[in-house]
Amino acid sequence: VIFQRNTNAVKWFAFMEFCSSIWAICYAFELSSDTLRQMLFWIDLEYVGISLIPATWIIFIFKFIGKEAWLTLRNRVLIFSFPVLALLLVWTNPWHHIHYANASLDTSGPFPLLAITPGPWYHVHTVYFYFLLVWGMSLLFRNSRKADEVYKRQNYSLLIGASIPCLVNVIYLFGLRPFKHIDLTPFAFILTSIVIGFSLLRYKLFDVIPLAREKVIERVREGILVLDARGRVIDQNETMKEFLRPYSSSVVGMHLDEVMPVEYKLHLMISKRSISNMDIMLKGGTGDRFFEVTTTPLFERETVFSGTLLIFWDITERKRSEEQLKAQASELTVLNQVKDRMFSIISHDIRGPIASLKGILTLAEEGDLTAEEFKSYVPLLSKNVGYTSELLDNILQWSKSQLQGETIRPEHFDLKSITQEKIMLFGENSLEKKIVLEDRVPKGTFLLADKNMVGMVLQNLIANAIKFCKAGDKVSLGTEVRETSTIVSVRDTGMGMASEALNKLFGLGTFTTRGTQGEIGTGLGLKLCKDFIEKNGGRIWAESTTGEGSCFYFELKNGVSSEP
């Protein structure tokens, strides 16, 4: 009945009971024999059960209390080597007399009995037998002290059942035997069976078996860390070992301050000795990991603080999802700002100059303007058309970059060819404002980036510099070549800006101010510059002092010449 239970530990108890049955049945046949030869035959069979009882018992105990990790191949060989050796020595005893020094037939009593004189191996086997039985009972007793009440009763019934044959056998070894030779140990198994049978019915023995710590704690996906009253680590599961691997190979015995020295809030939460939780971040080999930590104080007799249980829930994926949602929300906010700004530009900044142009042309067409009056409006019309053209160009480039994506086509090119082109583009505008344009970029300054994007960036930066300069100021283009990158600068001696305005230049929103001659802007130009430079793997920044001018920098990877 016991063997049919599914639990592996229970089957070993059934094996032990089976060995006990072999001992009892064969001993009964020994007692019923009347010749020495018959008695020795049955005692040889008895030892099949006698020698295996301690081995099956200790394996049952290891499995029952959850110490299966102790049952390594080496330990199994040691446990079963003694029973095998004992059997061989018993079966070959007539040749060496190591187990029994002498065996004879005693007929002085009411019926013949086997009289034996123990040999040296008999005493060795007795020590092995009782060592495993007593060790198993002590493990079972220690395991039952802190167990639930139903498990305590189960363990105690097993202890009582195993103790009865042991005590009877000890009496036999001390020479207290009926008719000088009879061993009452096999008869004691009748009482053991009664105790086990009672436990099967009363305490659900082997129906409700406690799961071992290794089967529960070690297989929990959450990290578990146990501290003593002084904050030292006294236990952890495999999951927690993995979490803390970047910090130390073994943290048991270390103080939590040594394991996590920077988690002051966690230490403070533990010191409060109350159930609470908080989020922390631990560095890992594959990146930072986020955890929700629950602390539970442990008390003995409900008043004496004995330690703290910490459970680490890995919330890295949740945190990353939250960060991704925040980034998407921020990006959506920026796109909405761009959309609103574009509608504002289209409805006001573009429509205004076009309406002005249309009005002047209508007046000229209807003859309300003379040729000389129309000629006087040409500079204004030219400025409006130039502004509108620049504005439309930036809007189209920005829309393409932000709303549809932009294909990056990096190539090796000479920056000088672009700076010369842009200097010529703004030549008339700079002459009109009496501003000096200088190109200090040396020929052969090669970059690796999208050439068209770099051209658009320089165009916007030069236009901005001219916009905030007055007559007599200077705008100069320069470079600083480093080992793997080149820093390009657009410096002006214009009106400059305060630090508050400087901090807004590359922010999420759009920011613009009027130029020295009232020039207006959209705030999209610098955002477009930042986007293009970062897409090419570079960075952009600015320095400015009110009244002294500004300098805009961007850094890109060095390129190589395609010429042989």
Side-chain angles (χ1 to χ4, degrees), residues 5-147:
R5 305 299 169 100
N6 293 328
T7 308
N8 192 21
V10 174
K11 295 184 184 298
W12 281 96
F13 186 85
F15 289 148
M16 186 190 69
E17 288 293 294
F18 178 68
C19 294
S20 303
S21 302
I22 293 175
W23 184 6
I25 292 172
C26 292
Y27 188 59
F29 281 107
E30 177 195 331
L31 293 178
S32 64
S33 301
D34 54 9
T35 65
L36 179 61
R37 183 178 179 182
Q38 290 176 340
M39 292 178 183
L40 291 177
F41 171 79
W42 289 112
I43 202 169
D44 285 349
L45 295 182
E46 284 175 45
Y47 262 88
V48 174
I50 293 173
S51 60
L52 289 174
I53 283 176
T56 53
W57 163 257
I58 198 65
I59 290 179
F60 159 70
I61 292 298
F62 285 168
K63 288 181 174 290
F64 189 74
I65 67 174
K67 299 298 182 181
E68 294 178 349
W70 293 359
L71 292 173
T72 61
L73 179 61
R74 180 179 64 87
N75 290 344
R76 287 176 185 268
V77 171
L78 288 175
I79 291 172
F80 281 102
S81 61
F82 276 87
V84 172
L85 185 57
L87 276 175
L88 293 175
L89 292 176
V90 169
W91 291 347
T92 60
N93 190 73
W95 300 338
H96 48 68
H97 301 285
I98 293 178
H99 192 80
Y100 293 134
N102 183 48
S104 60
L105 192 65
D106 186 355
T107 58
S108 61
F111 50 89
L113 292 172
L114 180 66
I116 59 172
T117 302
W121 183 257
Y122 183 94
H123 298 294
V124 173
H125 182 263
T126 300
V127 172
Y128 160 79
F129 189 101
Y130 280 100
F131 171 74
L132 291 188
L133 259 63
V134 173
W135 185 26
M137 286 190 289
S138 66
L139 290 174
L140 193 62
F141 178 74
R142 278 170 33 185
N143 187 68
S144 65
R145 284 188 304 171
K146 295 183 179 181

Side-chain angles (χ1 to χ4, degrees), residues 415 419 422-423 426 436-441 454-467 469 474-480 487-494 497 526 529 540-544 549-555:
L415 181 63
T419 57
K422 299 306 175 184
I423 290 292
F426 290 99
V436 178
L437 280 180
E438 289 184 347
D439 183 4
R440 295 182 178 179
V441 176
V454 175
M456 182 62 66
V457 170
L458 280 173
Q459 182 172 319
N460 273 281
L461 294 180
I462 296 171
N464 274 349
I466 294 173
K467 175 182 174 181
C469 284
K474 181 169 61 175
V475 176
S476 60
L477 279 63
T479 56
E480 179 188 341
I487 298 177
V488 183
S489 62
V490 179
R491 185 183 302 273
D492 67 73
T493 58
M497 66 187 82
L526 289 179
C529 293
I540 186 169
W541 69 100
E543 297 174 354
S544 184
S550 305
C551 186
F552 285 79
Y553 303 90
F554 63 87
E555 183 177 12

Side-chain angles (χ1 to χ4, degrees), residues 507-528:
L508 293 177
T510 55
F511 174 75
T512 184
T513 57
R514 289 185 176 272
T516 54
Q517 293 184 357
E519 299 99 327
I520 58 175
T522 63
L524 292 178
L526 289 179
K527 293 181 68 64
L528 188 65

Side-chain angles (χ1 to χ4, degrees), residues 206-217:
F206 304 141
D207 281 335
V208 182
I209 297 179
L211 290 175
R213 173 194 175 279
E214 286 78 6
K215 292 182 179 179
V216 179
I217 303 300

